Amino acid sequence: MTVPRDQSDALTEISALFDPEADAAPPPARTRRWRGPAVVLTVFALLATAVGGYVVWALSAPLPAATLFASAPEPPTTEPVTLAMPTRAAAAVVVTGFDESVQTGGTMSAAVGGSEPRPIASIAKLVTALTILDAYPIAPNEAGPTITFGKAAHDLYDDYYVRGATIVPMPTGITMSLRDALSVMLIPSASNYADALATWAFGSTSGYLGAARDWLSEQGLDDTVIVDPTGISPANTATPEDLLALARIASGNPVVAEIASTTSFDIRGIDRVQSTNALLGVDGVTGLKTGNLGMEQFNLLFTAQIDAPGGQRLDVVGVILGGSTRASVDGNVRGMLASIRDGFRQIALTEPRQRVGTVETVWGESSAVVVAGSPAVRVWSDAPIDVELRATAPVHQTAGTGVGELVWTTPSGAQSARVVLAEDIPEPSAWWRLTHPGDLADW
């Protein structure tokens, strides 16, 4: 049976057709999800990245520089040399030829016994020879003019014989070259030849004395007095200083120097004569002239060459005046030369691997700092030596790494040696790096 619809219901249905929200179903309720695990994972990822970055940085960051604690060692010292000089005679010596590594200025000198003029005896014959050669110069390889000695020269033999002077025969009419006559005058120290040569060259003894005074003045030997050509008079005097200058002049004249270094000489038609200088060729002695006026009046003006350690050749000029005997004078000269030679010292500047300090790190490791090698230096006497350390902390930390150098200053300049690490310095552990970020170099 059909139930009649209500009029109002129909109207409601018709209005619903025009209502756009009439058929829309209510939205379902939203489900709220919990996102906690994602956040935790993100945080852990960030922390892991940060920690990993720190670890990489800490393990690779440059290490801080080490600290150097070091100082230069004390320089070596030596006792001063005391030359063996005579105790009862006047003496002076000058040594030249030193290189600057052993003696400032290249010269050493010493003197005892005062500086006043003293009798020089036959050393005066050097003045005779040099004055004659100044008037009659001859080249080293020349014999010079020929001289004929007459009866007046022959008579000088007897004259000087009775005076106790050294003489060599001179037969009347004998001829010889100037060079040979000078050799007889200087090698055996023949006074009769000295007198005869002076007269031949200048006409008389007084003529010679005038020439000798002029020559001495020209050479600046103002404290030398010559009164005869032989030296037999004690009035022939000179100071030690003048005699050292005379020795340099004589040794610089090739003719005189060669004659004064000759130990013996053959006189044609007469005999062989020996030098009065028994030290020729002994301990480096090369010349020059003896002098003798009797007891307590033995003299020697000498030159010598010394081969010092290291190949250094030294030139020595010396004089002894007023020695008691010829043997004592010779002994004094040999002692003087020995003390000069012994005055050279080869000394080590450091001990082998000498420690001069320590290198320390902030992570607690360290190494000794030592001198590489054992340098030495040759010095004369107590020559001063200064030392300076020029060093900085090392960049590398292996044994042998250079830290700097030690520089020793001697009279001639500087000598140096490297300063190095004695052993390896281990790097810090990873744990130290991770736990000491504030000590790493680029923090």
Side-chain angles (χ1 to χ4, degrees), residues 79-303:
E79 292 297 320
V81 171
T82 301
L83 293 185
M85 302 292 281
T87 57
R88 299 181 60 185
V93 64
V94 174
V95 187
T96 58
F98 285 96
D99 63 37
E100 290 288 342
S101 65
V102 294
Q103 180 73 13
T104 302
T107 301
M108 182 277 298
S109 63
V112 294
S115 59
E116 66 275 6
R118 290 176 176 249
I120 61 175
S122 287
I123 294 175
K125 292 184 174 75
L126 283 178
V127 176
T128 304
L130 290 165
T131 302
I132 292 172
L133 286 172
D134 187 56
Y136 299 89
I138 59 177
N141 58 346
E142 292 180 349
T146 299
I147 303 172
T148 299
F149 294 107
K151 186 178 184 305
H154 166 74
D155 292 342
L156 293 173
Y157 182 91
D158 293 333
D159 184 18
Y160 284 102
Y161 173 80
V162 297
R163 298 169 70 179
T166 301
I167 50 177
V168 170
M170 181 185 286
T172 300
I174 188 174
T175 62
M176 62 179 64
S177 68
L178 173 58
R179 184 188 185 94
D180 285 351
L182 290 171
S183 296
V184 181
M185 179 183 74
L186 292 175
I187 294 173
S189 196
S191 290
N192 56 329
Y193 275 75
D195 196 335
L197 274 172
T199 300
W200 168 83
F202 300 102
S204 65
T205 298
S206 61
Y208 160 72
L209 293 177
R213 283 192 294 270
D214 291 342
W215 184 85
L216 290 169
S217 178
E218 292 171 1
Q219 304 304 318
L221 303 177
D222 299 328
D223 293 321
T224 299
V225 176
I226 297 296
V227 300
D228 67 64
T230 67
I232 195 170
S233 169
N236 293 288
T237 61
T239 62
E241 182 179 2
D242 264 19
L243 290 174
L244 294 181
L246 177 63
R248 286 189 286 270
I249 297 168
S251 61
N253 183 296
V255 174
V256 174
E258 183 179 355
I259 293 172
S261 66
T262 302
T263 57
S264 63
F265 178 70
D266 288 319
I267 307 173
R268 182 172 55 85
I270 301 179
D271 203 351
R272 169 172 288 191
V273 292
Q274 301 292 327
S275 173
T276 56
N277 187 358
L279 289 184
L280 287 176
V282 177
D283 294 342
V285 174
T286 58
L288 281 165
K289 191 69 189 75
T290 60
N292 170 20
L293 291 178
M295 191 64 67
E296 306 292 334
Q297 290 294 322
F298 287 88
N299 307 327
L300 180 61
L301 181 63
F302 66 94
T303 56

Side-chain angles (χ1 to χ4, degrees), residues 58-76:
L59 296 180
S60 61
L63 292 170
T67 302
L68 173 65
F69 301 94
S71 60
E74 289 294 321

